[in-house]
Structure formats: C-alpha cells, structure tokens
C-alpha cells in the first residue's frame, strides 16, 4: 500500500484543527456550558464525521472500480481543493465569534457533519488523493475512517477546552499571519506531493 503518511497527516491535522464550524461551535459550547455538557454535541460531530468518511471511501472505491477514467480527475481535483484550502487559510482572519449558542446535543452535532458538503469534499479528497492506492477492504476503510474521526474529535475537544486561549492567540496580527503562512505552505507542500505522485503513478 503506497501511502504518503507525512502528507496525509499534515493535511489531516491542518484541516481538523484549524478554525471551522466544528471547532468554533465546540469552543462556544465549551466556554458557555463546560466540557462535560458539550460532550454529547462533540460525540455527534464524531459520529457524523465517521459516517461521512465511510461513505466517501466507498464512493471513491466505486468510482475506481466502475469509472477508472475519473480517478485521475478526482485526484487532480483533490489537489486543487487542497490549494484552495491553503489560500483560504492564508487569507483567514480567524474571526471566531464565541458567543452564547443554545445548548446543542448529539443530533445537532451529527447533522452538522452529515449535511455539511465541505466534510463530504474533505472525505473525497482524502480517499481520491492520499489514499488512492489503499486496498479498499472493510478493515482498511473502517480503520482509516476511525483514524480521521479520532483526529477530528481531538480537534473539537481541544477547542472546547482551550477555545478562549486559542481565540486570543490568533487575534494577534503577527501570530495569525505567521500561523496562516506556515499552515498554507504545509498544505501547498501536501498538494504538490500528491500531484507529483499521481503523475508518476
């Protein structure tokens, strides 16, 4: 199994830990209601994330099996999406509004993932680029989806516990610019490696 572990982990860490609907809403919940009362919501996020990763993996396998000519297109599309994320992160102001949301539970967290097209695109990007040549056995599919889910849960848990500190740090202009530049360059690096591996076969 030819998997670029370094690029995969770089991409996964950046996309799960940077500010987004999951992390910001979890930070708000944690700050307002505490970590324990936010746990149900975060478990819903994790469940939804796991289901989307499973579906993305199965869809990617289906395309490889029945529409092999689309594999290259998906792979290049995934690399372009990573570059788009790099640009978005570089330009990001991290203007996180940690207000007072209504208490949200398991089903709200689940719905946030299942109905979020960005998570679907993320899943397809992972399985059509980084894990393109992974044998699509049930054990590989389940373990890979579980690995991404654990990383996602670690991200929302971190934001739920330390959201205020993270929010203050990224509001400092120099810190934010430096962080954005580093994360963007890492994503560009991942995209280039993925595109190169696709070209070289």
């Amino acid at each position: 199994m030819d998997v670029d572990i370094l690029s995969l982990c770089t991409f996964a860490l950046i996309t799960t830990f940077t500010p987004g609907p999951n992390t910001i809403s979890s930070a708000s919940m944690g700050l307002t209601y505490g970590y324990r009362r936010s746990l149900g919501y975060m478990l819903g996020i994790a469940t939804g994330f796991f289901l989307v990763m499973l579906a993305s993996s199965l869809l990617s396998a289906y395309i490889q099996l029945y529409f092999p000519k689309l594999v290259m297109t998906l792979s290049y599309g995934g690399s372009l999406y990573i570059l788009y994320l790099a640009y978005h992160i570089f330009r990001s102001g991290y203007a996180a509004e940690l207000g007072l949301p209504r208490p949200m539970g398991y089903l709200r967290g689940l719905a946030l993932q299942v109905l979020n097209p960005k998570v679907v695109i993320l899943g397809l990007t992972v399985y059509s680029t980084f894990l393109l040549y992974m044998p699509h056995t049930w054990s590989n599919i389940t373990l890979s989806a579980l690995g991404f889910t654990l990383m996602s849960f670690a991200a929302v848990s971190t934001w739920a516990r330390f959201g205020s500190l993270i929010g203050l740090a990224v509001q400092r202009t120099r810190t934010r610019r430096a962080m954005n530049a580093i994360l963007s360059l890492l994503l560009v690096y991942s995209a280039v490696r993925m595109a190169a591996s696709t070209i070289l076969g």
Side-chain angles (χ1 to χ4, degrees):
M1 182 169 64
D2 185 17
V3 177
D4 189 336
I5 298 296
L6 179 60
S7 294
L8 174 60
C9 289
T10 299
F11 175 76
L13 281 169
I14 292 173
T15 52
T16 54
F17 275 86
T18 48
N22 294 345
T23 52
I24 298 301
S25 60
S26 296
S28 295
M29 287 285 291
L31 288 171
T32 308
Y33 302 107
Y35 183 83
R36 287 188 178 182
R37 292 185 64 187
S38 307
L39 194 55
Y41 175 69
M42 293 188 291
L43 288 174
I45 289 177
T47 303
F49 196 89
F50 179 73
L51 293 175
V52 171
M53 289 299 108
L54 279 181
S56 298
S57 177
L58 293 173
L59 179 58
S60 176
Y62 179 83
I63 291 173
Q64 288 182 48
L65 185 61
Y66 295 103
F67 303 98
K69 292 183 179 180
L70 288 179
V71 171
M72 191 70 70
T73 302
L74 272 178
S75 183
Y76 285 129
S79 296
L80 289 175
Y81 175 66
I82 297 171
L83 290 176
Y84 164 78
L85 286 177
Y87 173 77
H88 178 73
I89 288 174
F90 184 75
R91 300 271 299 176
S92 176
Y94 287 29
E97 296 206 2
L98 304 178
L100 299 175
R102 294 179 180 179
M104 296 183 288
Y106 179 84
L107 292 178
R108 289 288 295 275
L110 176 65
L112 177 65
Q113 300 309 291
V114 175
L115 301 177
N116 188 350
K118 290 183 178 180
V119 177
V120 177
I121 294 173
L122 170 65
L124 287 175
T125 299
V126 166
Y127 287 103
S128 63
T129 54
F130 299 103
L131 297 178
L132 177 63
Y133 301 109
M134 177 188 77
H136 285 80
T137 63
W138 277 110
S139 59
N140 284 342
I141 290 172
T142 304
L143 287 175
S144 62
L146 184 60
F148 292 122
T149 300
L150 291 174
M151 192 173 294
S152 174
F153 184 75
V156 295
S157 292
T158 300
W159 274 82
R161 285 195 179 276
F162 307 109
S164 59
L165 296 176
I166 296 171
L168 286 173
V170 296
Q171 291 306 317
R172 298 189 184 96
T173 303
R174 288 185 180 181
T175 303
R176 185 180 69 246
R177 286 177 178 172
M179 185 182 298
N180 287 355
I182 292 170
L183 294 176
S184 298
L185 287 172
L186 287 172
L187 281 182
V188 170
Y189 167 79
S190 296
V192 170
R193 282 184 66 106
M194 285 301 96
S197 65
T198 300
I199 293 172
L200 297 176

